[in-house]
Amino acid sequence: MTVSEEEDNKCDRVMARRFVIRQEAPVERHHLSIDYAKELNEQQYAAATAQGGPQLVVAGAGTGKTRTLVYRVAYLVETGAPPEQIVLLTFTRRAAAEMLSRASALLDGRCRRVRGGTFHSFCLGILRQHAGRLDYPNNFTILDASDSADVIDVIRSGLNLRLDRKRFPRKRTIQSIFSSVRNRDMSMEDFVEARYPQFLEFVEVFEQLGAGYERYKQDHGLMDYDDLLIKTLRLFSEHDDVRRSVATECRHVLVDEYQDTNRTQALLVERFSSVHGNVMVVGDDAQSIYRFRGADIRNILSFPEMFPGTQVLKLEHNYRSTQRILDLANLLISRARNKFDKRLFTERGLGETPVLVHATDSRFESRFVSQMILTLREEGVPLSEMAVLFRNGFNSYDLEVELNHRGIPFVKYGGLKLSEAAHIKDLLAYLKVVENPMDGVAWNRILQLLEGIGPKTAHQLISWIESASDRAFEIDESRFSPRYIEELKRMFAMLRYIRSADVPITEQVEVAVAYYEPVLRRVYYEDYPKRIQDLEHFVGLAEGFSDRAQLLSSMALDPIELTALDTETEVDDEPPLVLSTIHSAKGLEYRNVFLIRALDGVLPSSYSIGDADALDEELRLLYVAVTRAADQLFISYPSVQYRRSDGQYFTSPSRFLVDISEELLEPGSIVEESPDQTSDDRDETARAFRGLPSPSDSSS
DNA sequence: ACAAGCAGTTTTTTT
DNA sequence: AACTGCTTGT
C-alpha cells in the first residue's frame, strides 16, 4: 500500500483526472460468434461495439436500451474483457439479473461471472471487505428506512426535547429529511426551507438529532441505505489504495437508468472507472422519475463535462409501441417545462388509438379492467403480457379484490414488501441481534414483544446488553423483575441456540419462527392466520441463502414483494398478470397496458400541486406509464371516490389528460348490458363491458 | 412509574 | 395498516 503514495498527492482532484487508454486492437467481425451488425440497428451497433473511454447513450423509451446493453456485455466478453471485471450497475436487482441472463444466453453462459447489481449491493460488497478501514465491524447490519426512523426516534427521546405543545415532525419525516439532505449536497436549512418550511424552527434540533444519529450508527455497527453509498465514497477518498484496487477490477463500468442516479452515485461511477476510464452510461432524461429521492437530472446532462472526451450516442428508433401510442407520449412530454428535443418514431404502424375511459366509480373501473383482461386473453394475449399500472401502491386494492374474485392470477410490484410487514420485521430482528448484538433497534423490537416490557424497560435492558456485550445472551437472574424474567430467559435461550456454531440458516429461521409464533398469536390476535402463512413462506425462502448475514442484507437490499409469494404457491401454470406502480414498471414493456386512477391529485399527486418541478416529474411519470405499452393503452379513472372524512366526493381526471384531442386520446365509457339480455344472467362475468365505444354511443 | 388498550388520524413513489 | 395521543389498569 505504500507504492501508491507518491502518486496520490499529485492527483487529489480525482474528478478531473483523465486517463488515456490505449484502444484495444480492433477485432475482426468473423472472429465473433454474434453478428452484431445484423442483430442491432446502426445506433445500437455503435453503442454496443464502442471502444473504451466514456460513453453516454441517450436512449428514448422503447429504443432497445436493454438489448443494447445486453449486446454490449456480450461484445466486451467476446473481445477479451474478463467477465468478472465488467460491472453492470442497474436500478433493481431484477433488472441486473434479467440482463445478465440474456447476455449469458447469447454466449453460452460466458457472461455469468459479470458482476451486476444495484449501486447499493455493489457498494455493500466493497464495504464488507474494507469496513475495518472505517472503524466499522465487517458484520455491520443494514437499516432500512423504517429502521433508521426507529433509531432517530431513540435519539429523539434521549434528547429530552421540550416542545411546548408544538407539533414535532414524525420520525418518518425526519428520516426522509436526513436522507434527502445527505443525497443532495444541500444544507439542512436550505432543504427544510424549501420542502418543509413549517419545520424551519426545528432546524437546530434536526442538526443535533442528525449528529446523534450518525454517532449512534457508528457506535453500533449500523449503516443505512445512504451510508452504503456515502461511506464507500469516503472509503475511497480516505484510502486511495482501496479505491485503486477496486477500480482496477472495474475494467468496464456500465450504468443503466443513469437519469435516476444522484450526486453520490455519479461520483461513485467516476471513482469506479478512475483506473481504466471505460464507462458507459445509458439513460433518458425524459424518464427521470426519482427526483424525490435525490436523483439529479444534471448528472446525465453534464456527464460529458464530468468525463472529458465523452462520446454521445443516441437511440431514437422505437421498436416497442405503435405510432398512436407514441403520438400521445410525444405530446405529453412536449408539455414538460424543460423541453426535451427528442421525438420517438416507429415503423410499427398506426395501431389502436389510446382510450380514456370514464367509470362511474372505482368498482366499475375494476370490473372494466378485469373484463377487458379476460377478453384480451381469449383473443390470445397471455396474462403476463398485460399490465395494470397506477401511481400509488394502494390504488390497486379494489382491483385486487375483483381479480381474486374472478380467479385471475396476478403479481404486484411496488406494494408492500415482505420485509416491511411487521411480523417479518419481528422475525428478522431475532436474527439481527444474533448477527450484531449491538443492533439496539432490533433489540428494542423483540424486547417489547414480551409481556410486561414496554419502551422504558426495553431501554434499560438494552443499556445493560450493550455494557455486557462480552457476556451477551447470558442472563443474571437477580437483576430482573420476576414479571418478565421467565419470558426473557426463554427468548435468550432461543437466541443462544441460533447463535451456536453449525446451525444451518434454515434451522435458525425455523427455531425463530417456532419461538415467535405464539408471540404473534398474542400480539396480532385479530389477523394472525395470514401472518403465519407469511412466516411459513419465509422459512422456505431461507433455503436460498448460505448464511445469516447474506439473508439479512438481501432482505434489506432486495426486498421481496409480499404478493409475489401468494402467486408463487398457486400451482398455476399460467404466468400471472402484472400489477405495478409506475415507478416499479420502469424499463419494462407490455402488449396491453391499463393505467388506472388517472385522477387529478393522484397523478399528478396532490403533493406535487403548486411545485412546478414536482409537477413536471409527475408528467414524466405519466410519460413512462404511456410508453410501457406496445399495442394498446387504456387509461381510466373513476368519477367518484371515497374519503373517510367526507364519504363520497366527485373527482376530476388528471389535468395532463383533459385537453388532449380525441384524435390522440379517444374518450370511452362503460356500458353495462342488462342481465336478461344475456343467456347466462346470474353470472357476474356474463355482463359484458364495451370498453371501446363506437362513435355512436358516446351519448352519456 | 410503566404497560397496555383504545380511538382517531394519516398514507407517494424506492434502494 | 401504522402511528400518535389519551386513558385506564397494575
Side-chain angles (χ1 to χ4, degrees):
Chain A
M1 322 297 148
T2 44
V3 197
S4 54
E5 273 165 20
E6 72 257 14
E7 277 173 67
D8 282 351
N9 300 333
K10 283 184 222 154
C11 35
D12 49 339
R13 285 197 320 131
V14 185
M15 278 190 51
R17 241 188 276 180
R18 179 135 57 123
F19 295 88
V20 178
I21 302 295
R22 200 149 294 136
Q23 298 209 337
E24 285 150 36
V27 181
E28 287 167 49
R29 195 183 299 172
H30 61 266
H31 289 297
L32 303 175
S33 62
I34 297 169
D35 185 350
Y36 292 87
K38 193 179 150 218
E39 297 293 323
L40 303 170
N41 73 26
E42 207 174 310
Q43 295 166 309
Q44 294 170 334
Y45 177 80
T49 62
Q51 297 305 306
Q55 315 278 342
L56 168 61
V57 181
V58 180
T63 54
K65 173 172 67 87
T66 305
R67 186 179 177 80
T68 305
L69 273 175
V70 165
Y71 278 84
R72 172 69 175 166
V73 169
Y75 178 83
L76 291 173
V77 170
E78 271 207 283
T79 54
E84 61 279 2
Q85 291 192 359
I86 298 172
V87 177
L88 175 62
L89 296 169
T90 57
F91 212 69
T92 61
R93 269 296 231 351
R94 204 154 43 112
E98 196 200 306
M99 280 194 224
L100 293 186
S101 88
R102 278 172 63 178
S104 296
L106 289 177
L107 284 182
D108 329 310
R110 267 190 285 161
C111 301
R112 282 262 175 263
R113 299 177 60 207
V114 169
R115 290 190 286 168
T118 58
F119 276 90
H120 292 85
S121 68
F122 189 65
C123 287
L124 174 67
I126 296 166
L127 288 170
R128 284 263 187 247
Q129 269 182 38
H130 304 283
R133 296 289 196 98
L134 295 169
D135 292 320
Y136 259 88
N138 55 7
N139 67 342
F140 63 83
T141 42
I142 300 169
L143 302 171
D144 68 18
S146 71
D147 296 331
S148 317
D150 288 342
V151 174
I152 290 167
D153 209 39
V154 168
I155 313 288
R156 183 185 58 177
S157 37
L159 240 52
N160 279 326
L161 297 175
R162 304 187 133 264
L163 291 171
D164 338 311
R165 280 192 216 171
K166 277 181 186 146
R167 234 187 298 146
F168 198 67
R170 333 173 108 218
K171 57 183 179 179
R172 221 32 217 267
T173 311
I174 304 173
Q175 185 270 330
S176 86
I177 292 175
F178 286 179
S179 176
S180 301
V181 169
R182 297 176 77 203
N183 275 313
R184 261 170 251 246
D185 241 6
M186 224 173 159
S187 80
M188 181 87 75
E189 192 168 359
D190 290 346
F191 180 78
V192 172
E193 192 171 0
R195 281 297 308 281
Y196 297 94
Q198 72 273 33
F199 298 142
L200 207 53
E201 60 178 317
F202 295 125
V203 165
E204 272 182 41
V205 185
F206 290 164
E207 303 268 13
Q208 218 181 330
L209 255 177
Y213 174 62
E214 293 302 315
R215 212 174 315 118
Y216 187 95
K217 285 184 297 180
Q218 177 84 48
D219 293 345
H220 293 80
L222 303 167
M223 290 210 197
D224 63 22
Y225 287 139
D226 302 324
D227 287 323
L228 294 176
L229 307 182
I230 292 169
K231 296 254 193 295
T232 302
L233 209 50
R234 209 178 88 201
L235 178 72
F236 287 166
S237 51
E238 290 175 5
H239 302 280
D240 200 59
D241 59 308
V242 177
R243 188 219 97 222
R244 184 163 322 181
S245 81
V246 169
T248 303
E249 295 302 306
C250 298
R251 186 176 297 265
H252 291 278
V253 178
L254 310 175
V255 188
D256 193 14
E257 310 282 8
Y258 196 71
Q259 77 282 355
D260 284 321
T261 54
N262 62 30
R263 181 80 192 146
T264 313
Q265 288 166 321
L267 291 170
L268 281 168
V269 169
E270 194 278 335
R271 302 295 196 274
F272 292 151
S273 57
S274 60
V275 167
H276 296 288
N278 298 321
V279 52
M280 172 177 284
V281 305
V282 182
D284 178 4
D285 45 9
Q287 290 184 73
S288 165
I289 54 176
Y290 280 90
R291 199 184 71 111
F292 70 92
R293 175 179 127 172
D296 192 339
I297 208 159
R298 285 172 301 181
N299 278 353
I300 194 163
L301 301 177
S302 60
F303 183 86
E305 287 138 52
M306 186 162 178
F307 295 86
T310 292
Q311 192 183 350
V312 181
L313 300 158
K314 274 191 184 174
L315 306 183
E316 287 170 307
H317 189 156
N318 180 297
Y319 294 91
R320 177 185 299 154
S321 310
T322 53
Q323 190 59 51
R324 290 206 154 111
I325 292 170
L326 290 188
D327 288 344
L328 177 62
N330 283 330
L331 173 76
L332 289 171
I333 206 63
S334 73
R335 294 181 176 180
R337 269 190 334 148
N338 297 317
K339 284 241 171 76
F340 303 98
D341 63 335
K342 206 180 304 128
R343 239 192 143 66
L344 297 173
F345 65 96
T346 184
E347 285 161 12
R348 281 205 55 202
L350 276 181
E352 307 267 358
T353 306
V355 196
L356 180 63
V357 179
H358 157 105
T360 46
D361 61 22
S362 55
R363 176 145 163 71
F364 265 83
E365 184 178 42
S366 300
R367 288 164 69 194
F368 158 71
V369 170
S370 325
Q371 182 67 47
M372 275 313 294
I373 284 167
L374 288 176
T375 307
L376 287 163
R377 186 175 65 163
E378 270 161 38
E379 286 168 8
V381 184
L383 279 184
S384 57
E385 304 254 327
M386 297 187 258
V388 183
L389 306 182
F390 32 86
R391 175 65 175 82
N392 306 310
F394 53 75
N395 293 149
S396 66
Y397 288 167
D398 262 323
L399 179 65
E400 288 169 47
V401 171
E402 186 68 26
L403 293 171
N404 279 326
H405 181 66
R406 300 195 187 215
I408 302 174
F410 63 88
V411 232
K412 180 174 169 182
Y413 295 109
L416 250 182
K417 302 289 186 292
L418 183 67
S419 50
E420 280 164 2
H423 48 295
I424 301 290
K425 296 210 79 163
D426 291 342
L427 185 67
L428 289 171
Y430 295 115
L431 300 173
K432 281 184 179 178
V433 298
V434 172
E435 184 67 21
N436 175 9
M438 297 298 279
D439 190 332
V441 195
W443 278 117
N444 192 39
R445 203 176 176 96
I446 62 178
L447 287 170
Q448 290 201 51
L449 287 171
L450 300 174
E451 265 187 307
I453 298 183
K456 214 75 190 190
T457 316
H459 187 76
Q460 286 163 15
L461 287 170
I462 292 167
S463 313
W464 170 77
I465 290 165
E466 279 173 6
S467 64
S469 59
D470 46 329
R471 288 171 292 122
F473 306 102
E474 306 290 336
I475 316 186
D476 168 9
E477 302 219 6
S478 56
R479 314 171 61 105
F480 304 101
S481 153
R483 219 169 64 241
Y484 49 77
I485 183 71
E486 285 309 315
E487 287 238 50
L488 200 59
K489 275 162 72 177
R490 247 170 37 80
M491 187 178 85
F492 272 74
M494 183 273 293
L495 294 175
R496 276 199 305 276
Y497 179 75
I498 289 183
R499 207 164 91 106
S500 53
D502 301 332
V503 182
I505 179 70
T506 35
E507 196 189 334
Q508 294 181 31
V509 175
E510 277 165 12
V511 169
V513 168
Y515 167 86
Y516 175 62
E517 221 183 274
V519 179
L520 181 141
R521 280 172 197 272
R522 174 169 52 79
V523 179
Y524 302 100
Y525 55 91
E526 283 197 300
D527 63 343
Y528 64 85
K530 254 187 280 173
R531 296 179 190 259
I532 286 178
Q533 258 190 350
D534 287 342
L535 293 183
E536 278 157 16
H537 287 309
F538 189 83
V539 174
L541 222 105
E543 279 177 49
F545 297 95
S546 55
D547 60 35
R548 200 167 48 224
Q550 201 206 345
L551 179 136
L552 289 173
S553 14
S554 172
M555 283 298 147
L557 293 183
D558 190 21
I560 294 157
E561 313 282 339
L562 198 52
T563 55
L565 286 178
D566 302 341
T567 39
E568 243 170 53
T569 48
E570 312 235 337
V571 205
D572 263 312
D573 295 341
E574 190 172 1
L577 169 75
V578 173
L579 309 193
S580 176
T581 57
I582 301 173
H583 284 90
S584 293
K586 195 163 72 131
L588 303 174
E589 67 173 69
Y590 302 91
R591 280 171 63 179
N592 297 286
V593 168
F594 296 84
L595 174 63
I596 60 171
R597 293 299 153 91
L599 293 171
D600 218 45
V602 175
L603 179 62
S605 156
S606 50
Y607 290 81
S608 65
I609 288 167
D611 177 343
D613 286 333
L615 271 172
D616 239 31
E617 175 142 311
E618 299 286 316
L619 183 58
R620 292 194 296 268
L621 200 51
L622 175 59
Y623 175 80
V624 169
V626 167
T627 53
R628 297 310 94 200
D631 296 349
Q632 240 180 321
L633 172 67
F634 302 90
I635 303 178
S636 61
Y637 64 92
S639 40
V640 171
Q641 273 210 302
Y642 284 120
R643 191 165 10 191
R644 242 186 290 282
S645 46
D646 40 31
Q648 293 205 321
Y649 67 101
F650 287 107
T651 59
S652 29
S654 169
R655 64 185 63 192
F656 300 141
L657 297 171
V658 285
D659 53 350
I660 290 180
S661 81
E662 299 196 359
E663 310 254 294
L664 288 173
L665 186 61
E666 195 180 330
S669 58
I670 300 170
V671 178
E672 189 170 20
E673 260 178 24
S674 72
D676 48 322
Q677 280 176 291
T678 63
S679 51
D680 188 2
D681 57 28
R682 286 168 309 150
D683 188 0
E684 168 96 13
T685 53
R687 297 180 192 185
F689 290 94
R690 295 276 147 77
L692 295 165
S694 54
S696 57
D697 66 12
S698 51
S699 49
S700 64

